[in-house]
Coordinates of all heavy atoms in Angstrom, one line a residue:
V742 N -26.4 -33.0 120.3 CA -27.2 -32.6 119.2 C -26.5 -31.4 118.4 O -26.6 -31.4 117.1 CB -28.6 -32.2 119.6 CG1 -29.5 -31.7 118.4 CG2 -29.3 -33.4 120.2
V743 N -25.9 -30.6 119.1 CA -25.3 -29.4 118.5 C -24.1 -29.9 117.6 O -24.0 -29.4 116.5 CB -24.7 -28.5 119.6 CG1 -23.9 -27.4 118.9 CG2 -25.8 -27.9 120.4
A744 N -23.4 -31.0 118.1 CA -22.3 -31.5 117.3 C -22.8 -32.2 116.0 O -22.3 -32.0 115.0 CB -21.5 -32.5 118.1
L745 N -24.0 -32.8 116.2 CA -24.6 -33.5 114.9 C -25.0 -32.4 113.9 O -24.8 -32.6 112.7 CB -25.9 -34.3 115.3 CG -25.6 -35.5 116.2 CD1 -26.9 -36.2 116.6 CD2 -24.7 -36.5 115.5
Q746 N -25.5 -31.2 114.4 CA -25.8 -30.2 113.4 C -24.6 -29.7 112.7 O -24.7 -29.3 111.5 CB -26.6 -29.1 114.2 CG -27.9 -29.5 114.6 CD -28.6 -28.3 115.3 OE1 -28.0 -27.6 116.2 NE2 -29.9 -28.1 115.1
R747 N -23.5 -29.5 113.5 CA -22.3 -29.0 112.8 C -21.7 -30.0 111.8 O -21.3 -29.7 110.7 CB -21.1 -28.7 113.9 CG -21.5 -27.5 114.8 CD -20.4 -27.1 115.6 NE -19.2 -26.7 114.9 CZ -18.0 -27.0 115.1 NH1 -17.7 -27.9 116.0 NH2 -17.0 -26.5 114.3
I748 N -21.7 -31.3 112.2 CA -21.1 -32.4 111.4 C -22.0 -32.7 110.2 O -21.5 -33.1 109.2 CB -20.7 -33.5 112.3 CG1 -19.6 -33.2 113.2 CG2 -20.2 -34.7 111.4 CD1 -19.3 -34.2 114.3
N749 N -23.3 -32.7 110.5 CA -24.3 -33.1 109.5 C -23.9 -34.4 108.9 O -23.8 -34.6 107.7 CB -24.4 -32.0 108.4 CG -25.5 -32.2 107.5 OD1 -26.5 -32.9 107.8 ND2 -25.4 -31.7 106.2
P750 N -23.9 -35.6 109.7 CA -23.7 -36.8 109.1 C -24.8 -37.4 108.3 O -25.9 -36.9 108.3 CB -23.4 -37.7 110.4 CG -24.3 -37.1 111.4 CD -24.3 -35.6 111.1
D751 N -24.6 -38.5 107.6 CA -25.6 -39.2 106.9 C -26.4 -40.2 107.6 O -27.6 -40.5 107.3 CB -25.0 -39.9 105.6 CG -24.2 -38.8 104.7 OD1 -24.9 -38.0 104.1 OD2 -23.0 -38.9 104.6
R752 N -25.8 -40.7 108.7 CA -26.4 -41.8 109.5 C -25.8 -41.8 110.9 O -24.7 -41.4 111.2 CB -26.0 -43.2 108.9 CG -26.5 -44.4 109.5 CD -26.4 -45.6 108.7 NE -27.3 -45.5 107.5 CZ -28.5 -45.9 107.5 NH1 -29.1 -46.4 108.6 NH2 -29.2 -45.8 106.4
L753 N -26.7 -42.3 111.9 CA -26.4 -42.5 113.2 C -26.4 -44.0 113.5 O -27.2 -44.7 113.0 CB -27.3 -41.8 114.2 CG -27.4 -40.3 114.4 CD1 -28.4 -39.9 115.5 CD2 -26.0 -39.8 114.7
K754 N -25.3 -44.4 114.3 CA -25.3 -45.7 114.8 C -25.5 -45.7 116.3 O -24.7 -45.2 117.0 CB -24.0 -46.4 114.4 CG -23.9 -46.6 112.8 CD -22.6 -47.5 112.5 CE -22.9 -48.9 112.9 NZ -21.7 -49.7 112.6
I755 N -26.6 -46.3 116.8 CA -26.9 -46.3 118.2 C -25.9 -47.2 118.8 O -25.7 -48.4 118.4 CB -28.4 -46.7 118.4 CG1 -29.3 -45.7 117.7 CG2 -28.7 -46.8 119.9 CD1 -30.7 -46.1 117.8
D756 N -25.5 -46.7 120.0 CA -24.4 -47.6 120.8 C -25.0 -48.9 121.0 O -26.2 -49.1 121.5 CB -24.1 -46.8 122.1 CG -23.0 -47.4 122.8 OD1 -23.1 -48.5 123.3 OD2 -21.8 -46.8 122.8
R757 N -24.2 -50.0 120.9 CA -24.7 -51.3 121.2 C -25.1 -51.6 122.5 O -25.9 -52.5 122.8 CB -23.5 -52.4 120.8 CG -22.2 -52.1 121.8 CD -21.2 -53.2 121.5 NE -20.8 -53.2 120.0 CZ -19.9 -52.4 119.6 NH1 -19.3 -51.6 120.3 NH2 -19.5 -52.5 118.3
R758 N -24.7 -50.8 123.5 CA -25.2 -51.0 124.8 C -26.6 -50.5 125.1 O -27.2 -50.8 126.2 CB -24.2 -50.2 125.8 CG -22.8 -50.8 125.9 CD -21.8 -49.9 126.6 NE -21.6 -48.7 125.9 CZ -20.8 -47.7 126.3 NH1 -20.1 -47.9 127.5 NH2 -20.5 -46.6 125.6
L759 N -27.1 -49.8 124.1 CA -28.5 -49.3 124.3 C -29.5 -50.3 123.7 O -30.7 -50.2 124.1 CB -28.7 -48.0 123.6 CG -27.8 -46.8 124.1 CD1 -28.1 -45.5 123.3 CD2 -28.1 -46.6 125.6
A760 N -29.2 -51.2 122.8 CA -30.1 -52.1 122.2 C -30.9 -53.0 123.2 O -32.1 -53.1 123.1 CB -29.4 -53.0 121.1
P761 N -30.2 -53.5 124.2 CA -31.0 -54.3 125.2 C -32.0 -53.5 125.9 O -32.9 -54.1 126.6 CB -29.9 -54.9 126.2 CG -28.6 -54.7 125.3 CD -28.8 -53.6 124.5
L762 N -31.9 -52.2 126.0 CA -32.9 -51.3 126.7 C -34.3 -51.4 126.1 O -35.3 -51.0 126.7 CB -32.4 -49.9 126.8 CG -31.1 -49.7 127.5 CD1 -30.7 -48.1 127.6 CD2 -31.1 -50.1 129.0
V763 N -34.3 -51.8 124.8 CA -35.6 -51.9 124.2 C -36.6 -52.8 124.8 O -37.8 -52.6 124.7 CB -35.4 -52.0 122.6 CG1 -35.1 -53.5 122.4 CG2 -36.7 -51.7 121.8
T764 N -36.1 -53.8 125.4 CA -36.9 -54.8 126.1 C -36.9 -54.7 127.6 O -37.4 -55.5 128.3 CB -36.5 -56.2 125.7 OG1 -35.1 -56.4 126.1 CG2 -36.6 -56.4 124.2
A765 N -36.2 -53.6 128.1 CA -36.1 -53.5 129.6 C -37.2 -52.7 130.2 O -37.1 -52.4 131.4 CB -34.7 -52.9 129.8
G766 N -38.1 -52.1 129.4 CA -39.2 -51.4 130.2 C -39.4 -50.1 129.4 O -38.7 -49.7 128.3
S767 N -40.3 -49.3 129.9 CA -40.8 -48.0 129.2 C -39.6 -47.0 129.2 O -39.5 -46.2 128.2 CB -42.0 -47.5 129.9 OG -41.7 -47.2 131.3
G768 N -38.7 -47.0 130.2 CA -37.7 -46.0 130.2 C -36.7 -46.2 129.0 O -36.4 -45.3 128.4
G769 N -36.4 -47.5 128.8 CA -35.5 -47.7 127.7 C -36.1 -47.4 126.4 O -35.5 -46.9 125.4
L770 N -37.3 -47.6 126.2 CA -38.1 -47.4 125.0 C -38.1 -45.9 124.8 O -37.9 -45.4 123.6 CB -39.5 -47.9 125.0 CG -39.7 -49.5 124.8 CD1 -41.1 -49.8 125.1 CD2 -39.2 -49.8 123.4
R771 N -38.4 -45.1 125.8 CA -38.5 -43.7 125.6 C -37.1 -43.1 125.2 O -37.0 -42.2 124.4 CB -38.9 -43.0 126.9 CG -40.4 -43.2 127.3 CD -40.8 -42.2 128.3 NE -40.1 -42.4 129.6 CZ -40.5 -43.3 130.5 NH1 -41.7 -44.0 130.3 NH2 -39.9 -43.4 131.7
L772 N -36.0 -43.7 125.8 CA -34.7 -43.2 125.5 C -34.3 -43.5 124.0 O -33.9 -42.6 123.2 CB -33.6 -43.8 126.4 CG -32.1 -43.5 126.0 CD1 -31.8 -42.0 126.1 CD2 -31.2 -44.3 127.0

Side-chain angles (χ1 to χ4, degrees):
V742 176
V743 175
L745 290 178
Q746 287 180 316
R747 291 187 66 223
I748 294 172
N749 191 24
D751 299 294
R752 178 171 292 277
L753 287 185
K754 294 187 71 176
I755 299 175
D756 190 289
R757 64 175 53 87
R758 290 170 293 182
L759 299 180
L762 297 179
V763 75
T764 59
S767 58
L770 281 173
R771 285 195 300 271
L772 175 60

